[in-house]
Amino acid sequence: MDLFDSARLRRTFELAFGHHTHPNPGVGALVVNDGVVVGEGFHSGPGNDHAEVVALSAAGDAARGADLYVSLEPCSHHGRTPPCVDAVLAAGIGRIVIGIEDPDPKVSGSGVAKLMEAGIEVVLSDEPASAEAVDPAYFHHRRTGFPRITAKFAMTLDGSVAATDGTSQWITSAEARHDAHVLRSQVDAVVVGAGTLRSDNPRLDVRIDGYGGPQPRPVIVAGSSPLPAESQIWDLNPIVITAEGGSAPGGEIVDVGGSTLPAPAVVASALGDLGYLDILLEGGPTLLSSWWSAGVITRGYAYIAARVGGGAGITPFAGPFGNIEDAREVEIFDVQSVGPDVRIGFQ
């Protein structure tokens, strides 16, 4: 793969990025004939044409003998749409450059094999990590069976998410709260526990001036105790994940069985099965601690407020921290100033 191939492949990443396509992957495609871009496209969401089909349609007859660049291996199976490999063959593409093989077992190399069997030159990128970065949640889910779960919490500089009386609004600045809404705009669903529903009466939606994109699906993890009927969350048709016999005043109830509060791995798996692959966990200390202990949290963002509580408040994680050996090492991959506060990303 030469520099021209690399540059054109990067364009497919730009085309793919930022669209809400789950449970499908985000994909971009580019058709180049005799050095000229004659078609490009991206997948905009489930049920819509895949990126390759959009780009090939834009290219028309100019696709014959051309090079096709695509960020992800073309699919070779029937889903909501026909296989993209068939469209590539029908268009008469002579060469295809692919960012990365699809980890989905339904594809996973079969698209590449079918293209090669048809005599098309296939080039796989030598920088697959760049292609994976287009939609990391999709790759995480296909490889692990769980959605990518991002924990988010805000705390004082000395480590409290709330005062001992439960008050927490507002620990962080308006700028940090806006940034948290940007995080919400990038995910499929936002998860809280029943305790947060009762204490905070949240909406869990994106509230940014001018925002016109899709809203994340609110999710409540509940036990057997009744949920407050007056909560504003019911206006947003949340998913309520409960154990056997659980109920709710509204929303879509997903009964995962069992007799206790649904286990984090069970909830995560259920959300993945429903097509929610990128999850923001905004629960309180009890939910956050249980999901952390279960090992299903992929990464996190801690918003550190420019405030000092000066005493023992409520910490981000419930339960004891008994020994330093219990501390889990993480990688800090991002540190940013957000207004007067600081956001730290870790994984």
Side-chain angles (χ1 to χ4, degrees):
M1 196 173 75
D2 59 23
L3 293 176
F4 292 102
D5 284 341
S6 295
R8 289 161 181 164
L9 205 52
R10 283 196 298 273
R11 175 57 182 161
T12 71
F13 303 159
E14 293 171 357
L15 289 165
F17 187 77
H19 307 288
H20 291 261
T21 62
H22 295 156
N24 295 347
V27 182
L30 194 72
V31 182
V32 178
N33 194 327
D34 198 21
V36 178
V37 175
V38 293
E40 60 181 31
F42 58 85
H43 180 48
S44 59
N48 297 329
D49 285 339
H50 289 190
E52 300 95 315
V53 173
V54 176
L56 292 169
S57 297
D61 292 340
R64 190 156 299 279
D67 292 347
L68 173 64
Y69 296 82
V70 60
S71 60
L72 182 69
E73 177 184 10
C75 63
S76 55
H77 65 286
H78 280 272
R80 295 188 185 184
T81 59
C84 290
V85 165
D86 291 354
V88 174
L89 297 179
I93 288 293
R95 177 175 178 265
I96 182 169
V97 180
I98 298 171
I100 190 172
E101 287 191 0
D102 193 332
D104 192 317
K106 295 177 182 178
V107 186
S108 194
S110 62
V112 168
K114 190 171 181 179
L115 291 166
M116 293 178 69
E117 288 169 4
I120 295 178
E121 180 185 353
V122 178
V123 178
L124 287 172
S125 170
D126 51 10
E127 298 177 1
S130 297
E132 184 171 338
V134 169
D135 191 353
Y138 172 80
F139 284 86
H140 182 80
H141 177 261
R142 291 302 190 269
R143 288 171 179 158
T144 68
F146 293 109
R148 181 177 73 160
I149 297 170
T150 302
K152 188 224 75 173
F153 55 92
M155 64 183 187
T156 61
L157 190 61
D158 53 341
S160 294
V161 296
T164 52
D165 65 357
T167 55
S168 62
Q169 295 181 338
W170 294 103
I171 281 181
T172 53
S173 63
E175 293 91 338
R177 299 197 299 274
H178 177 275
D179 190 77
H181 278 270
V182 172
L183 284 183
R184 284 184 181 177
S185 74
Q186 298 168 348
V187 301
D188 302 327
V190 181
V191 177
V192 298
T196 296
L197 181 68
R198 296 187 184 98
S199 62
D200 293 352
N201 190 20
R203 288 184 61 84
L204 307 182
D205 57 349
V206 179
R207 296 187 297 278
I208 299 174
D209 289 344
Y211 178 73
Q215 291 287 350
R217 188 81 184 269
V219 178
I220 303 159
V221 181
S224 57
S225 299
L227 298 173
E230 67 279 5
S231 295
Q232 58 182 340
I233 199 72
W234 308 122
D235 297 335
L236 283 75
N237 188 31
I239 295 173
V240 182
I241 300 185
T242 71
E244 186 174 349
S247 62
E252 176 186 351
I253 299 177
V254 176
D255 189 332
V256 294
S259 58
T260 59
L261 188 68
V266 173
V267 176
S269 180
L271 289 173
D273 290 344
L274 290 170
Y276 301 101
L277 309 187
D278 215 351
I279 308 298
L280 188 62
L281 184 65
E282 292 195 15
T286 300
L287 193 72
L288 188 59
S289 182
S290 66
W291 285 51
W292 181 258
S293 297
V296 297
I297 293 175
T298 313
R299 62 175 189 162
Y301 284 103
Y303 289 85
I304 313 300
R307 290 187 177 208
V308 174
I314 299 173
T315 57
F317 296 86
F321 170 36
N323 189 285
I324 192 63
E325 295 299 324
D326 296 333
R328 188 183 311 170
E329 289 189 4
V330 298
E331 174 193 352
I332 294 177
F333 64 84
D334 178 66
V335 179
Q336 292 187 31
S337 294
V338 186
D341 307 323
V342 175
R343 186 187 79 179
I344 298 177
F346 61 92
Q347 60 188 15

